Amino acid sequence: MKKVALAAALAAAFAGGVALTEWREDARIARPVNAAAQAPAAAAPAAAADTAPVAGLPDFSALVERVGPAVVNIAVAGKAAPPVQGPPGGLPQDPFEFFRRFQPQPGPGPGDEAPQRQGVGSGFIVSPDGYVLTNTHVVKGAETVTVRLTDKREFEARVIGADDRTDVALLKIDGRDLPSVRMGDPSRLKVGNWVAAIGSPFGFDNTVTAGIVSAKSRTLPSDAYVPFIQTDVAVNPGNSGGPLFNLAGEVVGINAQIFSRTGGYMGVSFAIPIDVAMKVREDLLAFGKVQRGRIAVTIQQVSKELAGSFGLDRPRGALVAGVEKGGPGEAAGLRPGDVILSVDGQAVEQSMDLPRMIGERRPGASVALEVWRDGKARRMDVKLGDTPGEKVAAAEAPAVSKAAQLGLAVRPLSPAERSRAGGVPGLVVERAEGAAARAGIRRGDVILAVNSEAVDTVEALKRLVDGARDRVAVLVQRADARFFVPVPLS
């Protein structure tokens, strides 16, 4: 799995009528007691109290007996990747990368051509004929994949396909009448619902842990296509690819990541919704790859300053920073400075919503976009393309301070510079001071537009800035990246 870093705490209180909670240090359980009558003669035998289920807490034993046999251990072997260099003290640099890197790395033995990578993960059987779901990072680069069931049967698995963007892989083992799971509906999950994970943390097969749903539709760095389910279920290396169950014993997610500053579980775990994973399975079986729609634009988040620059009532939508030449977005008339507010009537609250919403649709489908341009909303219909999905702008606009002037010295691009920039007109920044410098504009940047209107002369830049209100949105090209920078003018 990967990992992340935050602290999580779970507080639970149960109250009803005159029931109180008594904490017994010897038995380490909480049990309800009657506050009105606590006569010793009426007390239940200690042994019975210690074994009785606590009111309000779920008992997962029946669920585990029923679904546990469908959860499998996955062992992989292959040539080892170069060792990952971490920071001093051995702590992971990226808190989301722990599970990807948690694979034993033994040194080469006598006569070995190269060191071997061995690892362990989890998975679950989704159909009696032997299809298994797991994480892509569990099987990526593996030369052999072995699936072991709880009854100790082992099968060599074939990797039918894997999708890096969602981290979902589909395996096939040769078996019949195998135990399999039932699929649940992640949309019906509520924050606070109990859930359970079964997997092989550190190689301990069929380990069961439980917790609650902490949040839904979480967007994580570099995972724009997955609306993660966040839980406080304890998951660790080896839980990767294992199922997350609701109380009905239905799979609602695939455990994929944790957030940790130490490399171990810290109370924040993330699961891929099972409907996302099942779409990957269907596409891999039908097409051999995952099909996603594409509009071929570069987007970035709409900050408070950018929302004000474009006249939006609040920060929302996905700001178009660049449009690929010849792509579906250009064909539909999209241009830098447009803010995409909705897709087929579904609101785009933040920029990271858009890649997932577009990617869920098939190439060739038409979608209706609500686009904010020139201070008003308009509808634009786009026919989706068939290549890898949206690319989010590599750099977000940095924070800015108030200033009284723009503070830029610019000149038109020379013919050679214009050719290197792809033939687009613009102004190269010779010097950046004041508000522009504090906003992040620097020497060598190329200014392409102000508030979505192209600029190719110094006079045009002055006119647009003089006509603006309290801030401007400057479209900047830096190397191969394009992004808007909000610059306050007062």
Side-chain angles (χ1 to χ4, degrees):
M1 279 192 187
K2 308 179 201 174
K3 69 178 176 200
V4 195
L6 290 176
L10 176 62
F14 302 94
V18 292
L20 301 178
T21 300
E22 174 190 15
W23 178 256
R24 299 188 56 217
E25 289 292 340
D26 57 338
R28 312 298 291 181
I29 63 169
R31 62 171 182 168
V33 297
N34 193 314
Q38 300 186 42
D50 288 351
T51 57
V54 179
L57 295 177
D59 182 352
F60 292 97
S61 58
L63 180 153
V64 174
E65 288 178 7
R66 187 171 70 253
V67 303
V71 182
V72 301
N73 172 282
I74 297 176
V76 300
K79 290 185 178 181
V84 178
Q85 299 298 324
L91 297 183
Q93 291 176 309
D94 181 351
F96 287 92
E97 288 297 324
F98 180 75
F99 288 139
R100 292 185 185 274
R101 299 191 292 115
F102 192 85
Q103 303 286 353
Q105 301 287 340
D112 286 348
E113 294 183 1
Q116 292 292 303
R117 176 177 74 92
Q118 294 184 339
V120 64
S122 304
F124 52 101
I125 304 171
V126 297
S127 61
D129 57 349
Y131 283 101
V132 177
L133 283 178
T134 186
N135 285 143
T136 295
H137 72 259
V138 169
V139 298
K140 191 170 187 178
E143 294 180 350
T144 63
V145 179
T146 303
V147 171
R148 185 171 66 246
L149 277 61
T150 56
D151 61 9
K152 307 305 180 184
R153 284 184 293 171
E154 292 189 357
F155 300 85
E156 186 170 340
R158 305 190 309 275
V159 179
I160 301 300
D163 181 50
D164 284 327
R165 292 182 182 273
T166 57
D167 197 21
V168 174
L170 179 65
L171 314 180
K172 180 67 170 66
I173 58 177
D174 293 328
R176 298 177 60 187
D177 300 323
L178 296 171
S180 59
V181 297
R182 290 185 296 124
M183 303 304 165
D185 183 358
S187 68
R188 299 182 63 182
L189 276 181
K190 295 181 180 179
V191 174
N193 281 165
W194 283 95
V195 284
I198 305 179
S200 304
F202 305 107
F204 295 108
D205 293 5
N206 271 73
T207 296
V208 183
T209 52
I212 63 168
V213 176
S214 304
K216 295 176 63 177
S217 298
R218 288 293 198 205
T219 299
L220 304 183
S222 303
D223 284 297
Y225 289 89
V226 179
F228 284 96
I229 302 166
Q230 180 184 333
T231 75
D232 69 347
V233 177
V235 295
N236 284 288
N239 274 116
S240 287
L244 183 72
F245 292 99
N246 61 19
L247 286 181
E250 300 168 330
V251 177
V252 290
I254 302 179
N255 297 305
Q257 300 192 41
I258 64 171
F259 192 93
S260 175
R261 294 193 185 279
T262 64
Y265 168 72
M266 294 185 69
V268 183
S269 310
F270 298 93
I272 302 162
I274 194 61
D275 55 348
V276 173
M278 291 303 287
K279 180 184 183 300
V280 172
R281 173 184 180 269
E282 292 166 5
D283 280 11
L284 290 175
L285 288 175
F287 311 110
K289 66 175 183 177
V290 179
Q291 292 193 338
R292 293 187 177 90
R294 177 179 184 249
I295 58 177
V297 297
T298 302
I299 58 173
Q300 70 181 87
Q301 185 74 1
V302 178
S303 64
K304 180 181 178 181
E305 292 80 11
L306 288 171
S309 299
F310 292 109
L312 282 169
D313 56 342
R314 60 182 177 87
R316 57 191 175 107
L319 174 59
V320 177
V323 180
E324 183 179 309
K325 190 172 183 59
E330 184 186 59
L334 285 173
R335 67 191 192 195
D338 288 342
V339 181
I340 300 175
L341 301 178
S342 71
V343 178
D344 288 336
Q346 185 179 358
V348 178
E349 288 297 329
Q350 53 184 341
S351 63
M352 298 297 283
D353 292 340
L354 185 64
R356 173 175 52 82
M357 294 165 68
I358 295 297
E360 288 174 348
R361 290 158 170 81
R362 297 287 186 191
S366 292
V367 297
L369 304 181
E370 182 186 8
V371 175
W372 184 264
R373 179 188 292 175
D374 297 331
K376 59 184 179 182
R378 64 181 67 194
R379 172 176 167 149
M380 301 182 72
D381 294 320
V382 182
K383 185 176 182 180
L384 303 181
D386 181 17
T387 46
E390 306 295 326
K391 178 183 177 183
V392 178
E396 292 277 337
V400 297
S401 303
K402 295 294 183 180
Q405 57 185 4
L406 201 59
L408 286 175
V410 298
R411 62 169 175 79
L413 290 169
S414 68
E417 290 170 332
R418 185 165 178 172
S419 177
R420 287 196 297 269
V424 297
L427 302 173
V428 63
V429 176
E430 291 277 280
R431 187 177 71 253
E433 300 174 346
R438 285 190 289 272
I441 297 176
R442 63 193 190 198
R443 187 174 185 272
D445 286 347
V446 177
I447 296 176
L448 303 177
V450 173
N451 290 349
S452 73
E453 189 169 338
V455 295
D456 57 357
T457 66
V458 176
E459 291 72 24
L461 177 64
K462 289 181 178 178
R463 173 177 55 81
L464 292 171
V465 172
D466 289 342
R469 296 180 180 177
D470 57 346
R471 61 178 63 85
V472 290
V474 181
L475 179 59
V476 170
Q477 178 162 326
R478 182 178 297 163
D480 294 329
R482 291 185 182 183
F483 51 92
F484 281 90
V485 177
V487 183
L489 302 176
S490 60

